[in-house]
Amino acid sequence: MMGWKQRLGLTMLLGCTALIPAVSVNAATTYSRSKAKTVATKPYYAKAKKGSTYKLSGKAKKTKLKANHALKNYMSTTWMRSKTMTLTHKGKKTTYYYVKNAKNGATGWVASSYLKAGKNFQGTTAKKSSGRYQRAKAGKLYQFTASNTYVKFASGQNLSATAVYTRTKTRNVYKKGIKYQYDYVTSGQTHGWVWHNYLKTAKKIVAKPTTVAKVDGHTTENATVDGVTYYSTSGNVLDPYSASDFKTVDVDSQYQMGTIDYAKTALYVNNNSFEKTPDTLGVLRHTDDSYSNYSLKTAMYLPIDFKNTATNGFTRKSVLGDPQSATFSKDDQYLYVMYVDSTETTGANQTGWVIRYDWNKLTALGASNSGTMDMIRRATNRDYYGKGTKKQKALDKKVLACIKVGPKFKSGHAQSLALNPKTNELWFVKAYKEKAEATVQRLNATTLTPDASVNFTLKSTVCMGSTLAFDNDGNAYFWTETRSPWKTAPVDSLKFYKGTLSTSEVHFKLIMQGLTHSPGAVVQSSSFNPNNGRFYMVSDESIFSVPVDKIGDLTTADVSATNFDGKREFEGLIFKHTSDTGYVLANKGPELMEMMK
């Protein structure tokens, strides 16, 4: 194919790095191997023609390798990794992946240095589209064969320099991890798939000024008051859309949980809130896939009491009983938890504050170890009452040194604290439902108070969602539950929104594909797992997830759902950035529960 091969070849030439050599393999060599570890399925492609996959034989300490597939024969396909293992020879360790080829099912173990993460010659399902185009530059039309897991280009035909092509479908094809849009076009008897960049619009279509609203997401800096810089936008920041174009993916209604009658756990009640051992939460049901098959187990119990001081302005005991959201710092050292004063009416002027926990130091002290998990609650309780032995106070001092409590401020209901990993900024939604205008604020990680505030309006009939999450590229997401139905979106269906959120720009669009059912009766949280690329939606005792790069092109099989049975309030869901570990922020009593696979 003209164009894209040369383009990719140049990219590989300019951006290539030397391959890390794997352990030298021959029939007589023996290795020791670690136990194979099952990991989340992930696509890879061969970086170069060098290398092979292998079959393993023999015992763990005398493992032999036999080549079974040369990578040079699989340059235009994807390998799906499902396991990892370490092979050692003469003290040198090499990581190997167990892979299966998406084209023909070939399997084997391959040195990880020969592969690079990303799909290769895999596609997405075609969607209906329209448009009239002409050739922008020389290229070819192709017929695609096989399934989305292996897309083969066949029967190339040169684009005509004079023909007008009508587009009827569009889809994406990945090549060496890069996504390319392909359009299915026809012109007389000619038809096929063509890379979108080879086309240009045949006739300029000028929209009537009255048909679409002006979208201007750029902000204006207004003033700085008490350390907070205020920004605002003019006009709507939500792309226009037609409700008739919206579609939904079917989700079994059994996974949509109803209203939960919250209850304290038996362990919490029996131990007067000072649990020493982890609690577990039973799974009620889940979809049949690896992403939904997990249970929940206590990782850390959070405090309930906090001493009244002039610094933070607290005037009563048990002020830490209502956490609303949480996130980890980018290096996973600190856990930021956002709280609200539950005695106030929920709204934009609700009072809240943030506590920063040094997760690493607290776990090192034993706060996550069975038998000493009451450590944090004991320390804050004794500090509140001024009690404790000399030995207890010595430990309490170490625990309290790991806990930084920020001052009170008007936080809103604070369901949305999230880290943008691209900018390393903390954001939360302050106002979202009182009126069309929304307020989102940036939290200073040092002062634990806002230092920037952005006001914007999506559109007059659409309010900002109460949750927030960012993917690895810095894209912002939230989801909503449908209350006023469309013909295309029934009550309780779910809508996805994606966009940009910063002090310089706010811009969102409604993804024109949602889910027939949301996780549950109460919208609680959004989250993104940077390790498996999935977007999570949380309601009480119900968690859904979908691959973020397929939102807008989802199938029922892409939707994972897990329901629990414990009458717990799920305040949030957070994932670490350096490991594939997730935690549910549960209430009554407040704790972090790890997702155990």
Side-chain angles (χ1 to χ4, degrees):
M1 175 179 178
M2 295 180 64
W4 73 264
K5 287 185 178 179
Q6 292 88 335
R7 183 171 177 264
L8 286 178
L10 180 59
T11 301
M12 293 298 291
L13 180 62
L14 295 176
C16 67
T17 57
L19 287 174
I20 301 172
V23 174
S24 177
V25 176
N26 60 65
T29 305
T30 60
Y31 314 82
S32 62
R33 69 173 187 265
S34 67
K35 185 178 180 181
K37 179 182 178 182
T38 300
V39 294
T41 303
K42 187 174 181 179
Y44 287 83
Y45 61 89
K47 294 165 68 173
K49 293 183 178 181
K50 182 180 179 181
S52 300
T53 65
Y54 295 88
K55 286 185 175 181
L56 305 185
S57 62
K59 297 181 179 180
K61 293 185 178 181
K62 291 185 178 181
T63 301
K64 292 186 177 181
L65 277 65
K66 182 178 180 181
N68 58 352
H69 302 289
L71 293 182
K72 65 181 181 180
N73 298 325
Y74 294 85
M75 299 305 296
S76 298
T77 61
T78 301
W79 293 95
M80 300 302 296
R81 181 204 68 179
S82 60
K83 300 177 183 178
T84 65
M85 176 188 294
T86 301
L87 291 181
T88 304
H89 176 64
K90 293 184 178 179
K92 184 175 182 179
K93 295 183 178 181
T94 303
T95 299
Y96 274 71
Y97 294 158
Y98 185 77
V99 294
K100 183 176 182 179
N101 191 262
K103 174 183 177 181
N104 61 6
T107 60
W109 290 91
V110 60
S112 62
S113 58
Y114 290 133
L115 302 180
K116 188 172 182 179
K119 299 176 182 178
N120 194 30
F121 286 86
Q122 289 193 324
T124 60
T125 301
K127 298 185 294 186
K128 290 183 179 180
S129 187
S130 61
R132 299 174 73 252
Y133 297 91
Q134 290 177 295
R135 191 185 80 175
K137 52 186 175 181
K140 288 187 176 183
L141 291 168
Y142 285 87
Q143 306 305 313
F144 286 168
T145 62
S147 65
N148 287 340
T149 58
Y150 170 57
V151 178
K152 181 179 179 181
F153 289 73
S155 305
Q157 181 178 356
N158 290 329
L159 284 169
S160 167
T162 59
V164 174
Y165 294 94
T166 300
R167 182 177 70 183
T168 59
K169 294 182 289 186
T170 186
R171 70 187 298 192
N172 296 318
V173 177
Y174 291 85
K175 301 167 188 174
K176 296 187 183 296
I178 301 174
K179 181 170 66 176
Y180 295 86
Q181 178 182 327
Y182 276 80
D183 298 333
Y184 188 80
V185 297
T186 61
S187 179
Q189 298 298 313
T190 303
H191 59 89
W193 292 93
V194 59
W195 184 31
H196 182 74
N197 285 22
Y198 288 151
L199 302 176
K200 63 182 180 181
T201 303
K203 182 180 180 181
K204 187 176 181 180
I205 301 174
V206 180
K208 295 179 181 180
T210 57
T211 58
V212 293
K214 182 182 178 181
V215 175
D216 181 9
H218 291 90
T219 66
T220 299
E221 182 176 335
N222 299 314
T224 299
V225 180
D226 295 331
V228 181
T229 303
Y230 290 85
Y231 302 83
S232 61
T233 64
S234 61
N236 296 337
V237 300
L238 181 68
D239 280 352
Y241 58 85
S242 173
S244 61
D245 294 332
F246 188 79
K247 298 178 181 179
T248 55
V249 175
D250 186 47
V251 178
D252 195 325
S253 60
Q254 70 171 326
Y255 295 110
Q256 185 174 47
M257 298 286 279
T259 303
I260 304 298
D261 185 14
Y262 302 135
K264 296 177 180 178
T265 67
L267 199 60
Y268 179 91
V269 174
N270 294 338
N271 290 275
N272 193 28
S273 80
F274 296 117
E275 299 104 309
K276 291 185 177 182
T277 58
D279 203 353
T280 57
L281 194 56
V283 176
L284 183 62
R285 65 180 74 86
H286 66 83
T287 50
D288 186 20
D289 61 88
S290 60
Y291 295 109
S292 64
N293 189 13
Y294 58 87
S295 59
L296 297 177
K297 182 180 180 180
T298 304
M300 187 177 290
Y301 289 113
L302 298 180
I304 299 172
D305 310 309
F306 193 81
K307 190 174 182 179
N308 175 29
T309 68
T311 303
N312 55 54
F314 299 127
T315 58
R316 61 190 180 86
K317 183 178 178 291
S318 300
V319 294
L320 304 185
D322 200 11
Q324 291 297 314
S325 57
T327 191
F328 279 106
S329 60
K330 194 171 183 180
D331 61 2
D332 292 331
Q333 178 178 353
Y334 295 113
L335 171 71
Y336 298 90
V337 181
M338 204 161 191
Y339 296 80
V340 294
D341 188 335
S342 57
T343 64
E344 295 184 329
T345 303
T346 299
N349 290 320
Q350 189 169 9
T351 299
W353 59 92
V354 175
I355 297 182
R356 189 190 73 184
Y357 299 89
D358 192 319
W359 183 271
N360 291 347
K361 288 184 178 180
L362 286 170
T363 53
L365 288 172
S368 292
N369 295 343
S370 181
T372 58
M373 299 184 82
D374 60 339
M375 181 182 296
I376 297 175
R377 289 184 182 171
R378 291 287 187 189
T380 54
N381 179 266
R382 284 193 288 257
D383 186 56
Y384 179 86
Y385 286 106
K387 296 181 178 180
T389 65
K390 184 176 181 180
K391 182 177 181 182
Q392 288 171 337
K393 288 183 177 181
L395 176 59
D396 292 349
K397 185 177 180 181
K398 294 179 180 179
V399 173
L400 295 172
C402 300
I403 304 173
K404 179 179 179 179
V405 181
K408 287 186 173 184
F409 59 90
K410 297 299 182 182
S411 64
H413 198 52
Q415 290 180 265
S416 52
L417 186 62
L419 177 79
N420 183 337
K422 186 174 182 179
T423 62
N424 199 25
E425 294 177 328
L426 294 165
W427 289 89
F428 67 94
V429 180
K430 179 180 183 288
Y432 60 93
K433 66 179 182 179
E434 286 80 1
K435 53 184 179 180
E437 187 178 58
T439 302
V440 177
Q441 296 190 331
R442 184 178 66 195
L443 184 80
N444 186 297
T446 302
T447 65
L448 303 183
T449 57
D451 61 12
S453 183
V454 185
N455 282 30
F456 58 91
T457 300
L458 292 174
K459 67 182 284 190
S460 61
T461 57
V462 178
C463 292
M464 177 68 185
S466 60
T467 71
L468 184 65
F470 295 90
D471 66 17
N472 290 330
D473 296 322
N475 296 305
Y477 297 84
F478 66 89
W479 65 277
T480 62
E481 193 173 50
T482 302
R483 297 306 184 194
S484 300
W486 301 340
K487 289 183 179 180
T488 54
V491 171
D492 293 338
S493 61
L494 185 149
K495 297 185 181 77
F496 298 101
Y497 293 83
K498 177 182 178 181
T500 300
L501 176 60
S502 69
T503 56
S504 59
E505 181 183 6
V506 182
H507 178 209
F508 281 94
K509 64 179 178 179
L510 169 65
I511 306 299
M512 300 307 289
Q513 183 195 45
L515 307 181
T516 55
H517 293 92
S518 65
V522 180
V523 177
Q524 287 284 20
S525 178
S526 295
S527 190
F528 174 73
N529 184 343
N531 301 282
N532 66 14
R534 295 181 74 85
F535 177 72
Y536 289 74
M537 301 135 276
V538 182
S539 293
D540 290 323
E541 299 218 306
S542 182
I543 300 175
F544 285 8
S545 74
V546 296
V548 75
D549 63 353
K550 290 192 68 177
I551 294 178
D553 194 28
L554 296 167
T555 65
T556 298
D558 293 319
V559 184
S560 297
T562 309
N563 299 153
F564 297 88
D565 187 16
K567 298 183 178 180
R568 300 298 299 278
E569 184 176 10
F570 283 11
E571 299 287 9
L573 174 62
I574 56 175
F575 290 92
K576 285 195 168 183
H577 303 277
T578 59
S579 66
D580 190 9
T581 313
Y583 302 89
V584 170
L585 175 62
N587 209 345
K588 295 180 178 52
E591 62 179 292
L592 268 293
M593 303 192 81
E594 184 175 351
M595 302 166 76
M596 307 297 293
K597 299 177 182 179

